[in-house]
Amino acid sequence: MDTQNQNGVYYNPNPYLKPKKEYKPFTKNDFTFLLLTFFAGFILIDFAIMKGFHLGFTISYLIIFVISTLYVFNKESKPSVFTTLCGALSLVAAVPLSLYYNALVNAFSVVLIIGLFTIYIIGISNTFKRSQSNFKIGFDMFETAAISPFESISEVAGSIKAGANKGKKYLSALLGIAVALPVLGVVIPLLVESDAAFEKLINIVLKNIGIYIGELIAACVILPYTYSLLFAKKHPSTPDYRKNKKTSDLRKIPVPGCISFLCVISITYLVYLFSQLAYFFSAFKGLLPEGYTRTASAFARRGFVEMFAICVINVLIISGVSAFSKRVENGKRSIAIKLFSLFISLFSLLLIATAMQKMKLNISTYGFTVNRLLVSILMVMTAVVLIFFIIHIFLPKVSYMQPLIIICSVIFIFAAFSNLDSITANYNVSLYTSGELKSVDIAELRDMGNESIPAVIELTKSKDKKVSHEAEMALIEMVYEKANFYNDDTEANEYNMNYGDFRAWYLSKEKAHKAIKEYENSLDGAKKTEYNKRVSMIKNKDYHYSGIDAYDDEDYFDNYENNKTYYYNPKTDSYDIEKKVYE
């Protein structure tokens, strides 16, 4: 601590001693949002993580978004259009999780939401330390999400300690809660006796008390991270030294070296392109290369892997040269570097166009799959990235990262709203029923889950008895075995839309439930009897169904209880051919 001398001047008696850091006292507002952050973390764990990231995630993210905005928002600065769009898109991206279910798409959606939310939090708190117009925004995002929260834990602790005197009010509030608990111990039993609905609610809570305790502990574990992240943006204390750092200090690679490097790469690509003309451009004719022994599917996959790997390398090459190459006398990049960068970018776009034609060949031959659709979307997004790189080459002052983030986010969100599983199932079934596809993969439709149930029901009406039978068995497997719409006692569980947990609800599951009920109600007579028999066998643990995709292509039920196997009889449309399992 500084000391005052006789002349009234403050001085440090020990200049080698580091001055004690002063912390801003923890305020009532900080304490309120500490509790709200804990509440938001508990809701996220209970609503989303424990329930599969469906409607519960959409609700919990909305709560997190509102709490974070109210706490972090800097009233002294107006958020940019880019920041506002990122926040709005993060909210929109959370909606498809409560509509449809695809594990891969949902996982990518959550990653996208985290990225957009991170940008939004930095923007509304006005704590960007680097340029938002180029790749440097990624460093700000990484620092905010992975470094700043851990560095700020000590800031939070110091702030709480500095506000210890004011904390007596908070201690009084906590004491009031503690005193209320014994009163609730008397009041709650009386309320339980007075109302059946409240009694059921309390019984559910008591039944899952262990789970709730675990969730509360988990919320306490993540609280230091989540609150420190917000606290660091609410009370930024790190000097913004990066704004004063000259970018030119990083540009140390001589221009001739960059030119020779790009020249070698470009010549290699040019030679490769000419040597592979037959391989690449056969896709535009819808034919495989002459003598090529792989299937169209393998042909398309190989084309995509080549394209993606080369494009990633090319983007890194162009970015690295742009960031670290020295400028010429007028402060601009060399024309030769620009031209070579343009050639590499155009070459990458050509690879994407070729790979997309290969994928078109694959789809026209075998139909849609969700992976093929996702790959196609990724190729479109990669093309968008390269187009903005080309713009940046000749217009370096034009911001490319902000529109790139917005456009790619919109593309993926649109894909998530499209329900790729349903599109795939309906498209393949329509191609089959129209005769454009000779066969349809019912096992793949079954594995898609709820989204494909309406399409599978459509196949049960097929004139091909084998297809209609396999579709019905796939439907029974999906509903009574894989999806577990009902348990053995026909009581409601999480998959029953009438009584299920709203946190695990999503729209396509409800639609699937209605579709299967309509199908079951449409059956009558012998068909209804046989259907119920199959359902009973699927649900019975003593029976084992071979599955419609059995390796031996046989269709049967094994019953080890009575040592019998029941084979499917196409003539009677029933499992009535009995054989001993062990003869």
Side-chain angles (χ1 to χ4, degrees), residues 110-245:
V110 172
V111 172
L112 176 64
I113 291 167
I114 293 173
L116 292 173
F117 177 72
T118 303
I119 295 174
Y120 173 74
I121 289 297
I122 303 173
I124 64 172
S125 61
N126 194 27
T127 55
F128 273 110
K129 298 178 180 179
R130 303 167 179 85
S131 173
Q132 305 170 46
S133 61
N134 53 42
F135 67 93
K136 294 177 183 177
I137 191 176
F139 294 108
D140 261 341
M141 294 172 64
F142 177 78
E143 181 180 297
T144 297
I147 299 176
S148 179
F150 300 102
E151 290 181 342
S152 300
I153 290 177
S154 61
E155 296 284 339
V156 176
S159 180
I160 293 175
K161 186 177 180 180
N165 294 330
K166 296 182 179 181
K168 294 179 180 179
K169 296 180 180 179
Y170 312 142
L171 183 62
S172 177
L174 294 175
L175 184 61
I177 295 175
V179 172
L181 293 178
V183 178
L184 291 178
V186 177
V187 172
I188 289 178
L190 295 175
L191 292 174
V192 168
E193 292 295 329
S194 66
D195 184 79
F198 187 73
E199 179 185 9
K200 184 176 181 180
L201 175 62
I202 295 299
N203 288 336
I204 293 174
V205 172
L206 293 176
K207 181 179 179 181
N208 299 291
I209 190 67
I211 296 175
Y212 291 135
I213 291 175
E215 291 175 350
L216 287 170
I217 294 173
C220 290
V221 171
I222 67 172
L223 180 62
Y225 170 84
T226 54
Y227 183 72
S228 295
L229 188 153
L230 299 179
F231 187 86
K233 298 304 170 186
K234 178 65 176 178
H235 306 290
S237 59
T238 305
D240 205 357
Y241 63 89
R242 295 177 182 86
K243 287 186 178 179
N244 300 322
K245 191 172 182 178

Side-chain angles (χ1 to χ4, degrees), residues 5 25 66 97 99 120 190 192 225 272 274 280 288 315 498 542 552 575:
N5 62 17
V66 171
L97 280 80
L99 300 178
Y120 173 74
L190 295 175
V192 168
Y225 170 84
Y272 179 79
F274 276 104
F280 281 116
L288 293 174
V315 167
N498 293 328
D542 292 332
D552 54 5
Y575 289 88

Side-chain angles (χ1 to χ4, degrees), residues 43 90 121 422:
I43 292 296
S90 71
I121 289 297
S422 180

Side-chain angles (χ1 to χ4, degrees), residues 436-544:
E436 295 183 46
L437 281 179
K438 296 181 180 180
S439 62
V440 60
D441 193 339
I442 297 177
E444 182 180 3
L445 293 176
R446 177 200 61 194
D447 294 338
M448 286 183 185
N450 294 315
E451 275 72 15
S452 65
I453 282 181
V456 173
I457 290 176
E458 185 65 26
L459 284 178
T460 61
K461 306 172 186 177
S462 174
K463 296 179 180 179
D464 187 326
K465 298 300 182 182
K466 184 176 185 296
V467 171
S468 62
H469 167 70
E470 289 183 352
E472 183 173 270
M473 292 308 300
L475 186 65
I476 294 173
E477 281 190 287
M478 294 164 73
V479 175
Y480 294 98
E481 184 180 57
K482 296 183 179 298
N484 292 324
F485 269 64
Y486 313 99
N487 61 21
D488 290 338
D489 299 324
T490 67
E491 295 176 353
N493 60 22
E494 62 173 318
Y495 291 95
N496 190 320
M497 293 301 99
N498 293 328
Y499 306 98
D501 193 325
F502 75 93
R503 295 167 294 182
W505 181 93
Y506 57 96
L507 182 63
S508 61
K509 187 164 64 173
E510 181 176 4
K511 288 184 175 180
H513 177 83
K514 291 180 179 179
I516 188 63
K517 293 301 291 184
E518 290 176 0
Y519 175 75
E520 291 177 342
N521 292 334
S522 69
L523 301 176
D524 55 13
K527 184 65 178 176
K528 179 70 172 179
T529 302
E530 181 61 29
Y531 178 85
N532 289 336
K533 174 185 174 183
R534 297 173 186 180
V535 169
S536 177
M537 293 166 71
I538 285 285
K539 292 170 62 177
N540 193 327
K541 296 179 181 179
D542 292 332
Y543 285 87
H544 169 70

